Amino acid sequence: MTWDTITLTVEDGVATLTVDRPDQLNALTVDTLEAIEAGLAEAAAEDARAVVLAGAGEKAFVAGADISYMVDLSTPEAQAYAELGHRVADTIESFPAPVIAAVDGYALGGGCELALACDLRIAADSAVFGQTEIDLGIIPGWGGTQRLPALVGDETARRLIFLGERIDADAAAECGLVGEVVADEAFDARVDELADTLAAQSATAMRAAKEALNAAGDGPTAAGLAVERRAWSGLFGTHDQREGMQAFLEKRDPSFE
Ligand code: DAK
């Protein structure tokens, strides 16, 4: 199968799914989210024993949801987009093998949330993380309000979400957002090694371990995710959402109410 916005390879049990819109820093459109969903289904059909999620190009893992797509969304359209996004996150979380976010470059907004939905996060030392939605007059809408505090604690999650701070890979490791930081030049080899190691384990035990860990209770709850979806969609059509996104597209600072 081929898609315009992702590539998928499966080799020796390792599926590598690469978001492939480097000119837009791999920002996520509806097409991209649908392609990720289809790519994961294909990886499962090929019995992948580990999945690597990556971004094409030198600059970004994923620089967020596509702002030019979101700028004019109405609340019902935002709701439909949110449903799709949450379905993709569910697909990652319920994938029957571990999924690694290989973060090389920017992981901002929805890009950071995409990484949060994965089982493990590994970062190149030039990676940059952030839940920067507040700068656009919105909030994380793809599980960030639920998964981030579970990983980094409530105080740090509030700082990241309220301030839209961008943090480097070492700071991300320090707060528990990533498990491992690797020098840029050694990054691809280390990602391969980690994926191969996971793929060499018992797939049955791995699936059981993932299922049990997912049920441990410190992950996102359905109720929490529903509150987030509602709050996120409700911001579409507000002055600040329109202004925040228009300002990004016009490369100027926003003027919020
Ligand atoms: N959307 C659309 N285009 C983007 C983009 C984005 N998120 N990020 C970058 N681009 C585009 C830029 O507009 C530019 O396009 P041209 O001007 O060349 O046409 C091109 O990529 C290169 O970017 P820059 O010229 O800005 O490159 P710089 O190196 O100067 O800066 C940057 C890189 C990553 C610091 C900067 O591009 C930036 O700040 N980008 C925006 C990052 C951001 O705010 N991300 C959060 C977006 S809000 C959900 C799904 C997702 C979400 C929520 C819900 N569901 C489905 C429920 C999340 C929302 C978000 O992610």
Side-chain angles (χ1 to χ4, degrees):
M1 286 170 90
T2 56
W3 299 272
D4 290 338
T5 52
I6 68 157
T7 61
L8 177 75
T9 60
V10 185
E11 217 179 300
D12 298 331
V14 176
T16 302
L17 195 161
T18 306
V19 180
D20 193 10
R21 302 182 73 220
D23 291 346
Q24 292 78 32
L25 306 188
N26 304 319
L28 300 169
T29 59
V30 168
D31 279 356
T32 318
L33 287 172
E34 287 175 346
I36 293 173
E37 194 177 27
L40 288 167
E42 176 72 10
E46 301 238 1
D47 293 325
R49 300 166 67 93
V51 177
V52 174
L53 207 52
E58 303 294 309
K59 279 184 72 174
F61 171 67
V62 168
D66 192 300
I67 297 166
S68 60
Y69 167 71
M70 289 191 296
V71 61
D72 291 324
L73 288 187
S74 63
T75 289
E77 287 166 335
Q79 269 161 356
Y81 187 44
E83 299 293 340
L84 170 63
H86 281 238
R87 215 169 61 222
V88 171
D90 285 348
T91 307
I92 294 170
E93 277 183 339
S94 59
F95 194 88
V99 182
I100 305 168
V103 180
D104 188 359
Y106 291 108
L108 300 178
C112 191
E113 291 172 295
L114 182 63
L116 287 171
C118 295
D119 294 284
L120 299 170
R121 283 149 294 280
I122 178 169
D125 63 10
S126 60
V128 176
F129 293 81
Q131 292 300 161
T132 50
E133 289 89 344
I134 202 88
D135 296 341
L136 300 168
I138 59 165
I139 63 170
W142 199 12
T145 64
Q146 309 297 303
R147 292 188 183 93
L148 188 62
L151 264 186
V152 305
D154 192 69
E155 170 81 13
T156 303
R158 281 173 201 263
R159 290 190 68 87
L160 288 167
I161 290 172
F162 289 170
L163 299 173
E165 279 178 355
R166 294 164 191 226
I167 58 172
D168 66 19
D170 285 335
E174 215 166 283
C175 71
L177 179 47
V178 302
E180 187 176 348
V181 179
V182 183
D184 286 345
E185 57 279 12
F187 185 67
D188 291 346
R190 175 59 192 141
V191 170
D192 289 348
E193 183 184 47
L194 179 62
D196 288 344
T197 305
L198 290 167
Q201 311 282 28
S202 156
T204 318
M206 192 64 79
R207 181 194 295 229
K210 179 164 172 171
E211 208 177 301
L213 283 160
N214 284 355
D218 60 354
T221 63
L225 288 170
V227 171
E228 184 194 75
R229 269 199 309 277
R230 249 194 334 272
W232 186 81
S233 310
L235 289 168
F236 281 77
T238 61
H239 168 276
D240 286 354
Q241 175 266 322
R242 294 285 196 256
E243 166 61 12
M245 295 191 180
Q246 205 58 53
F248 173 81
L249 296 172
E250 292 168 8
K251 302 186 190 293
R252 60 173 172 81
D253 289 333
S255 166
F256 290 131
E257 271 180 351

